[in-house]
Amino acid sequence: MKWRLVSIVLFAIVLTAELAVHDPYAVLGIPKTATLAEVKNAYRNLVKIWHPDKSTHPEAETKFIEITTAYEALMNKDKPDDYATPVNSYASNFHQFFDFDMDNFFENVHQRYNFDFFRKLQIHLDEFNSLLLTRKSKKLTLILFYSEYSLAFLKAQSVLKKVIEDLAPIGVDFKTMNKDVEPSAFWRAKGVFIPHLISIMDSNLNVYQESFQSVDNVINFVRKSLPVKLIPEFNDFNIDRFLSTWSTDNRVRALIMQPGSPLKLRYALIALEYRNHISFGFVNFGLYECRSTRDRYKIPHDKDTLLILKENIRYPAAHLSMTYIPMVGLRDIIESNKYLTLPRLSSQEVFDTLCPVGEKNFCLVLVSHNSPNHEAHRQSIRRFAQEARSIYPDVPLAFMYVFRERQPHFINSLIQGTESPSEPLLHIVLLTRLNKKMVSYKWLLGDNYNNWANYDLTKERLTGVLNALLGSETAWTLSNEAHIGAVLDEHGQSLIARIATRAQQHVITMFYTMIDLVINHGLFFIYIVFLMIGIMMVTYFLYTLVETEIMEINKKVDQTKTKPSQTVRQRELKLHELRAETYNGLVRLIKPGCRTIILLIDNSTAVLLARQFYHVVWPYRKNKSLMFGYLNLDRGPSRDWYCKLLSLSLADTNKSIHINTRNCVGTVLSLCSLKKYFCMYHAKHPESSRHKNDKWRRVSMRPPKGDGEFWGFNEESDEDNYSFDEDEENTAGFKPILKDKEEDIRTEHLLDGLPMWLDRLFEGTTKRYQINYWPDFKV
């Protein structure tokens, strides 16, 4: 009797202990009414105590696995209800065994083929199309096409449920689609039989072609569906090159090391989830060529290891070594080390993650160039960022640097304040985000910005600024505010690629919507009819185009045979009359760097001089910086404007000017609107000789006395004005246009020296007559 009582007590103790071990609430030490927040807090507290890297207890690893397993069970959406309601499994099974009836049997059969489990994971056609257009997937998506009327699917239900329960916790996104509801998606997924399983990864669709008798077959299919170079394998010879390129792609390096091959599926899926932030590598330290790497980082010989390496590749920023590394532990350690110690501000996601909205979150951004000369400044800030975690443990500080040439809009929006530097290169801006688009900031400037390359000066300056900022609200504040735009994604697609992707998405959606209408509504015959009509119309249109082109070619051949050398040359040069209506277009509003060349004529010489001027300036017709025109001096407004222009070029602007129209005919003006000056050509002007060696262009030679005649001021000619030494002429060997014996120049010779003057004009050697403003042209 006594032994029977002892055995009953021992059995009760063992049974209670077994139930407590399998109860996740008991493992975490929380009540069964605990919320998700309480579950997470209990898990974090226990992990800090029982983590193998922090605890020296011999059963720390076993205890950590139990805690992680319990946490995963409670965080799974499909399982908390099973643990929240205590059920005595032994009693229930015993009761069902003895209380068997026919109604309960059929109810169990109905539950066995219940489709609610698959209906909860069901998606529609739009979601299916969006998955196919996702260029950079964070998870591998498995889509199962099923039918509630398929016997093969009913047979494979148990295996498929097992596949979902095994793959969903480690990062596989499992979806279902009803083939009877979405036939177009089933056709696009290359479906033939039910059940039909496909994988979608980076817009690539793979079809599972094995039987559903084994879970291992599906797992191998998942492994083959992952990107080929997701986690490249390294050894002692190429590992340093992989680890030292962190500065080029601005990413943390993660090494997954295990004593065998191939890489476990859970590690590949976690690498897929974080591939946009971290570059992963695999090292099989069981090989001989990987021993040096294993010894360098002191890796255990019988455990899987995860190493997180940042700027210092010799000393890991974090590591985790266990026989079985759970997904929660992997995700926690990677999530807390997702960025470098001093990351580059290269995308809006980096900015939102490291510098969230909030007045208590402070961000220090160093502005530099993508140059090795600025590496000393970045290294100094990086070293201070490492020490700032211990100096300010409770203050959310983020340290970053930005390339000036890659983020110009972001930097320009922060240099508009009163205390901002004109050139922000190698300066630090301290900012906090007020909302998604507004920041409060202040620039940290020194006497010499190269002080940031000295760590001691950097630490002294930044520590003083942060102490003043955190110590008192009035001592040191961020006084400036600015509206910033989105940070450019340096690693993303270009604008053209994004437009092409969006257009492709719309085209594919329209196409498959039409296919769905055709299949579901019986419009296949009408679709074929309209397709044939469209093909016939396009064919007829192309035929007419070809016939028209052949006829045009034949006409051109006939014309070349009858008139082989007759080609009409069309003139492209236009002469515009300078009037009040065209004054702004020819003078005042012409573009910088352009000039207008104007010929002065009257009614009697208009035809002759315009024809000669046209032939002289014809070689310059294709110069887009030149415009050509003429001014009729017989018009009163034109003559008044010319008189006003001459008076503005003289020193004595109050002098009354009267011109002789006859003397001004044949003058050519080059007007430069922006710089407010003009150059003049006239047959009697000292610059207008036909020869380069004329007396008036030689050094120390003065122009003729009384040179007002070429302006048009004098109404009578004076023969003494153009006297010169005959002996000097014979010695020099030149011949000016106007001799002292000539009283006047014939009209047809007025523009003889214009080609030479145009050459000097474009060389910049002609005299410029400056004016203060362009006179008005009266109507």
Side-chain angles (χ1 to χ4, degrees), residues 257-258 285 293-307 319 321:
M257 311 177 73
Q258 65 180 33
F285 59 79
T293 304
R294 183 191 63 189
D295 297 338
R296 181 200 306 179
Y297 296 110
K298 300 178 181 179
I299 304 301
H301 294 68
D302 56 345
K303 296 181 180 181
D304 296 346
T305 302
L306 172 65
L307 297 180
H319 72 280
S321 297

Side-chain angles (χ1 to χ4, degrees), residues 567-611:
T567 57
V568 180
R569 187 177 181 181
Q570 296 181 356
R571 301 276 179 168
E572 300 176 359
L573 183 62
K574 294 183 179 180
L575 297 180
H576 307 275
E577 182 179 3
L578 184 60
R579 303 177 63 178
E581 296 83 359
T582 61
Y583 181 64
N584 289 333
L586 291 175
V587 179
R588 283 187 171 177
L589 301 180
I590 62 176
K591 298 179 180 179
C594 301
R595 65 178 69 186
T596 303
I597 299 178
I598 302 297
L599 171 67
L600 275 59
I601 60 174
D602 58 5
N603 292 334
S604 60
T605 61
V607 178
L608 177 61
L609 292 180
R611 184 182 294 110

Side-chain angles (χ1 to χ4, degrees), residues 18 82 169 195 258 278 344 352 357 471 480 513 565 597 608 640 647 711 717:
E18 184 179 359
D82 299 336
Q258 65 180 33
I278 299 178
R344 185 172 77 248
D352 293 338
V357 176
N480 299 318
T513 302
S565 62
I597 299 178
L608 177 61
D640 296 339
S647 65
W711 290 94
S717 301

Side-chain angles (χ1 to χ4, degrees), residues 426-624:
L426 293 180
H427 291 304
I428 295 178
V429 57
L430 176 62
L431 57 88
T432 180
R433 299 184 69 181
L434 304 177
N435 51 49
K436 291 185 177 180
K437 296 186 178 180
M438 292 294 297
V439 297
S440 178
Y441 68 96
K442 187 176 182 65
W443 285 92
L444 306 183
L445 306 175
D447 297 335
N448 185 4
Y449 60 72
N450 287 322
N451 292 343
W452 301 124
N454 189 330
Y455 174 70
D456 295 332
L457 296 177
T458 299
K459 182 178 180 180
E460 179 182 358
R461 180 73 189 284
L462 293 181
T463 304
V465 169
L466 292 176
N467 291 337
L469 181 64
L470 300 174
S472 175
E473 296 181 356
T474 59
W476 204 86
T477 58
L478 306 181
S479 56
N480 299 318
E481 293 185 0
H483 179 278
I484 60 173
V487 180
L488 300 179
D489 189 1
E490 300 177 7
H491 309 287
Q493 293 180 331
S494 62
L495 178 61
I496 298 177
R498 293 197 300 270
I499 293 175
T501 303
R502 186 65 59 86
Q504 180 185 6
Q505 181 178 2
H506 288 299
V507 170
I508 291 176
T509 303
M510 292 176 59
F511 176 74
Y512 285 104
T513 302
M514 184 177 63
I515 293 295
D516 184 57
L517 290 174
V518 170
I519 295 176
N520 293 336
H521 297 82
L523 301 178
F524 184 76
F525 179 76
I526 300 176
Y527 170 75
I528 294 298
V529 171
F530 279 102
L531 180 62
M532 296 300 297
I533 294 174
I535 293 175
M536 294 175 62
M537 293 178 63
V538 172
T539 305
Y540 178 76
F541 177 73
L542 294 176
Y543 175 78
T544 55
L545 286 180
V546 172
E547 289 291 329
T548 304
E549 186 175 359
I550 292 175
M551 293 177 62
E552 292 178 357
I553 293 174
N554 292 334
K555 289 182 180 179
K556 291 181 180 180
V557 172
D558 295 337
Q559 290 177 0
T560 54
K561 288 182 180 179
T562 55
K563 301 177 181 179
S565 62
Q566 295 181 1
T567 57
V568 180
R569 187 177 181 181
Q570 296 181 356
R571 301 276 179 168
E572 300 176 359
L573 183 62
K574 294 183 179 180
L575 297 180
H576 307 275
E577 182 179 3
L578 184 60
R579 303 177 63 178
E581 296 83 359
T582 61
Y583 181 64
N584 289 333
L586 291 175
V587 179
R588 283 187 171 177
L589 301 180
I590 62 176
K591 298 179 180 179
C594 301
R595 65 178 69 186
T596 303
I597 299 178
I598 302 297
L599 171 67
L600 275 59
I601 60 174
D602 58 5
N603 292 334
S604 60
T605 61
V607 178
L608 177 61
L609 292 180
R611 184 182 294 110
Q612 292 181 356
F613 180 76
Y614 190 93
H615 287 285
V616 171
V617 300
W618 170 259
Y620 307 98
R621 66 190 184 279
K622 294 184 179 180
N623 193 329
K624 297 181 179 180

Side-chain angles (χ1 to χ4, degrees), residues 8-157:
I8 293 174
V9 172
L10 292 176
F11 177 76
I13 294 174
V14 172
L15 181 61
T16 305
E18 184 179 359
L19 292 175
V21 170
H22 292 288
D23 186 6
Y25 291 98
V27 173
L28 297 178
I30 55 177
K32 296 185 178 181
T33 59
T35 61
L36 291 178
E38 295 175 351
V39 173
K40 292 181 180 178
N41 292 331
Y43 169 72
R44 292 195 186 101
N45 295 330
L46 292 175
V47 164
K48 293 179 181 178
I49 299 174
W50 294 101
H51 197 282
D53 295 335
K54 298 181 180 180
S55 176
T56 58
H57 197 278
E59 297 182 358
E61 182 176 346
T62 305
K63 188 67 176 177
F64 181 76
I65 294 176
E66 292 179 1
I67 295 170
T68 305
T69 305
Y71 177 72
E72 290 180 350
L74 292 179
M75 295 304 293
N76 191 350
K77 295 181 180 180
D78 296 333
K79 296 184 179 180
D81 296 338
D82 299 336
Y83 298 101
T85 304
V87 177
N88 191 340
S89 59
Y90 300 101
S92 61
N93 293 334
F94 184 80
H95 175 72
Q96 291 178 4
F97 180 77
F98 285 99
D99 293 341
F100 176 79
D101 57 4
M102 189 61 67
D103 296 334
N104 192 20
F105 174 77
F106 284 108
E107 184 179 355
N108 292 334
V109 172
H110 176 72
Q111 291 178 357
R112 181 182 179 185
Y113 297 111
N114 190 7
F115 299 102
D116 292 338
F117 179 81
F118 298 95
R119 290 172 182 170
K120 291 180 181 179
L121 304 175
Q122 190 166 325
I123 61 174
H124 300 287
L125 181 62
D126 295 338
E127 299 177 49
F128 176 74
N129 292 333
S130 63
L131 288 173
L132 286 177
L133 294 175
T134 303
R135 298 292 183 183
K136 203 75 171 178
S137 306
K138 291 186 177 181
K139 287 188 176 182
L140 175 68
T141 303
L142 292 181
I143 300 180
L144 173 67
F145 288 88
Y146 71 97
S147 175
E148 298 180 1
Y149 308 102
S150 173
L151 183 59
F153 172 69
L154 296 178
K155 293 180 179 180
Q157 265 195 8

Side-chain angles (χ1 to χ4, degrees), residues 677-680 685 687 711 757 761 764-769:
Y677 72 86
F678 67 92
C679 301
M680 175 179 287
H685 195 284
E687 296 179 349
W711 290 94
W757 181 83
L761 173 67
T765 57
T766 57
K767 180 176 177 57
R768 298 178 178 181
Y769 300 93

